[in-house]
Each structure stands twice: as structure tokens, then as C-alpha cells.
Amino acid sequence: MERLRACPHCDALYQIAPVAPRERAICTRCGAVLIAPRARAFSRIIALAVTALILMAAAIFMPFLDLSASGMHSRASVLDAVLAFSDGMMLPLSVAVGALIVVIPALRLSLIVYTLAPMMRGGPALPRAAQAFRLADALKPWAMAEIFLIGVAVALVKVAGIATVTPGPAFWAFCGLVVVTVLHDDVMDAESVWQAIERRETARRSAADAAASRA
């Protein structure tokens, strides 16, 4: 059973064979990519995740947009957008916006770094690395930074006719964040990560059993 894998899209069952870097294991029923290992994938994933976290910090605290209309000037950040609905009955909406565009993406990237950083140099996985990566994988559909950017683009088209809109540094940081996140998810191969965690856990248990037998 340990060598069997189900396609995440159509549930076709396969016996996993070794797959070399730059090769792909593809489902013959639906065409979904099952395994796509890449050389030095862990270092690339970590580098992209750390870059995304830095861009996210910049996008949160730096000015996002400058609006000018009828002699009035206003500057807003992502944090201002999150707190805009924080009064009264709209508080749950503010919490949801903050969670979906800031907290969940940052948590997911942090969990991936926690899982992969020790294994990048061949070291053992940290405690509960499997649970951390499982949570990161489960949070992926809820990380909606790119949806927020699309919403901002739509709003800018509507506002452009009545006000002068100047994108701030946080806007470009957020654009970079979306691009880096797409690259990060493209490099990520969940099956290779699970196999690495499995190997480290098996080696750790073998070492613990050997130490116990010698004692």
C-alpha cells in the first residue's frame, strides 16, 4: 500500500515507480501530473517562499494606492483595506479579508519553509513536519492573494474615470508576490516532499531502534 498513489483528480490508482528529475509521471486517465521531481527543488521552493514572505511584508505596510480627486488626496495600504470593515456588523468580513489575503498565505509559506529547510541539506525533518506540510497543502485553496489583486484591478478600472490613481510600492510588491507564488506552486512537487519526509522518518526510526538495541 505504501507504493500505491491515487490521482488527486480522477482517483485512478497507480504503483509508484522511480521518477528522475525533469521527468513526469502523468495519469493515463485524465492527464494530471502525479510526480514531477526537479533538481535542487527544495532550495528553489524555500528561496521562492522566503521571497514571497518578504514581498508580503512590504505589501502590507507600505503605501498601496494614492487617490486624488477634486483636490482631495488619500493614501491606502493593504492593512487599511483589511481594517476598512472592522466596525460593527462588518467585522467578520474584515477578519475574512485579512485571513485570506495575509494570514493564510503567510502561514502556508511559513509551514513549507519549516518542513523543507532542515531537509534541504540532508538533515532530519523537524518534529511534526508531516502535519505541517499537510496543513500547508490544505491551506492552498484558501490563499487568495491573487484574487485580491484581480479585485483591485477591477476597482481601478472603475475608479480611473473619477479620480487619479497612482499605484504605490506595495502594489508592485503585491504583483511580485503573485508572480513568485505562481512560480513557487509550479516548482512544488508534493509527492517528492512526502517521499523525502518518509525517508527521513524511516531513517530516524531505524537509528532509534539501533540505539535501543545497543542499550
Side-chain angles (χ1 to χ4, degrees), residues 2-27:
E2 292 181 357
R3 297 197 57 79
L4 295 178
R5 293 294 185 273
C7 173
H9 296 278
C10 68
D11 293 329
L13 198 61
Y14 296 94
Q15 185 171 1
I16 298 299
V19 180
R22 297 190 179 182
E23 293 182 348
R24 290 187 173 190
I26 298 176
C27 177

Side-chain angles (χ1 to χ4, degrees), residues 135-201:
L135 178 58
D137 193 47
L139 290 176
K140 182 179 179 181
W142 299 99
M144 299 186 179
E146 66 278 7
I147 304 300
F148 172 74
L149 193 61
I150 292 172
V152 170
V154 173
L156 289 179
V157 171
K158 294 184 176 182
V159 172
I162 59 175
T164 301
V165 182
T166 305
F171 177 85
W172 302 113
F174 218 91
C175 292
L177 168 64
V178 171
V179 173
V180 170
T181 301
V182 170
L183 293 174
H184 173 271
D185 292 341
D186 182 62
V187 173
M188 173 70 72
D189 178 35
E191 184 62 36
S192 298
V193 176
W194 284 120
Q195 289 178 359
I197 293 174
E198 239 176 74
R199 288 195 299 269
R200 301 308 198 281
E201 286 295 319

Side-chain angles (χ1 to χ4, degrees), residues 101-115:
I101 68 174
V102 177
V103 178
I104 291 178
L107 176 60
R108 176 174 175 256
L109 293 168
S110 300
L111 289 171
I112 290 173
V113 173
Y114 175 86
T115 303

Side-chain angles (χ1 to χ4, degrees), residues 42-135:
F42 284 8
S43 59
R44 294 180 184 179
I45 293 170
I46 292 171
L48 290 169
V50 172
T51 301
L53 287 170
I54 294 171
L55 288 171
M56 181 173 293
I60 291 172
F61 298 107
M62 297 176 71
F64 192 80
L65 291 174
D66 285 334
L67 299 175
S68 299
S70 302
M72 300 180 65
H73 179 79
S74 177
R75 176 177 293 178
S77 66
V78 173
L79 191 59
D80 293 329
V82 171
L83 297 177
F85 308 103
S86 59
D87 294 332
M89 298 291 291
M90 301 299 286
L91 179 60
L93 178 59
S94 180
V95 173
V97 170
L100 294 175
I101 68 174
V102 177
V103 178
I104 291 178
L107 176 60
R108 176 174 175 256
L109 293 168
S110 300
L111 289 171
I112 290 173
V113 173
Y114 175 86
T115 303
L116 300 185
M119 298 191 296
M120 182 178 63
R121 297 180 179 179
L126 290 174
R128 300 190 179 275
Q131 291 88 333
F133 187 69
R134 186 176 292 110
L135 178 58

